[in-house]
Amino acid sequence: MTLIEPNTSAELTAGDPNTLGLALRLVWQEDRFGHAIELLRGGQRTLLLETLADSVAVPWPANPPLQQASLETIDGRLAILGVGLAGTSHWSISMETLAGDSQGLRIDCACRCTSLPESLGSGYRWAEGVDCQTDAFAGILFRADEACVQIAPDDQQTVATCSSDDRVCEIRPESLGEGNAHTIRWCYQILLM
């Protein structure tokens, strides 16, 4: 285990960065970690998506509020694990490269809520010059530099939406549950197409 210090960075890569790959780069945003998704090609990086950052401490932030993160090796693959809290709730996240021949990343989020949440999810803003399309079968598709990247829910309880007005993509649990003290998960994949 390697602890990732605030104001530093860590990265996961999928695919071949010399021909076509993806990078998930952990970045420090104000008082917590966020991440950027970048397209890698021939040693060049193109920003596709970056997590939304809340300007103030809010009980239900736009993304899991990760104050601690570590780089781990799980089943021979690198993974970034993170934890944090906001309000009276606790968040965790696992970000990992996919096994086998799949060229992509899997992100698994959870929030242990002490009360019914106002909202939960993972929000991204896509970069200028990136085209976004919604496909009923393929999820959300982002196109840049003649490459296509898909964001798709990884389970039946997760939904993905996008708004071209403000260039925001949101992945969230389909249901926020009922009552108090429960854990809510949402999982998704980011894939090279």
Side-chain angles (χ1 to χ4, degrees), residues 14 18 24 28 32 38-39 42 58 60 70 78 85 89 93-94 105-106 110 120 139 143 158-160 166 171 179 184:
N18 294 316
L24 182 151
W28 190 250
R32 64 193 65 179
E38 298 169 323
L39 191 62
V58 294
W60 304 108
S70 64
L78 281 179
L85 59 97
S89 298
I93 192 169
S94 167
L105 306 158
R106 182 175 188 275
L120 287 176
R143 297 181 193 282
T158 302
V159 295
D166 50 5
I171 302 98
I184 301 172

Side-chain angles (χ1 to χ4, degrees), residues 176-191:
L176 296 178
E178 298 176 15
N180 298 326
H182 59 288
T183 300
I184 301 172
R185 285 182 65 197
W186 60 103
C187 309
Y188 54 103
Q189 293 186 2
I190 303 173
L191 302 163

Side-chain angles (χ1 to χ4, degrees), residues 1 29 53:
M1 174 182 87
Q29 295 175 324

Side-chain angles (χ1 to χ4, degrees), residues 85-158:
L85 59 97
T88 59
S89 298
H90 297 263
W91 276 258
S92 65
I93 192 169
S94 167
M95 300 176 274
E96 61 187 324
T97 56
L98 294 174
D101 293 333
S102 297
Q103 294 184 351
L105 306 158
R106 182 175 188 275
I107 300 176
D108 189 342
C109 306
C111 179
R112 178 71 178 156
C113 307
T114 58
S115 62
L116 191 62
E118 293 174 20
S119 65
L120 287 176
S122 298
Y124 295 92
R125 177 161 280 112
W126 64 84
E128 291 283 343
V130 173
D131 180 46
C132 176
Q133 299 172 344
T134 302
D135 184 279
F137 298 104
I140 299 174
L141 302 174
F142 295 94
R143 297 181 193 282
D145 293 341
E146 299 178 17
C148 184
V149 174
Q150 174 193 37
I151 289 186
D154 197 40
D155 63 24
Q156 297 295 322
Q157 292 76 42
T158 302

Side-chain angles (χ1 to χ4, degrees), residues 29-32 52-63 65 86-87:
Q29 295 175 324
E30 301 291 328
D31 63 345
R32 64 193 65 179
L52 299 174
D54 294 296
S55 57
V56 296
V58 294
W60 304 108
N63 280 288

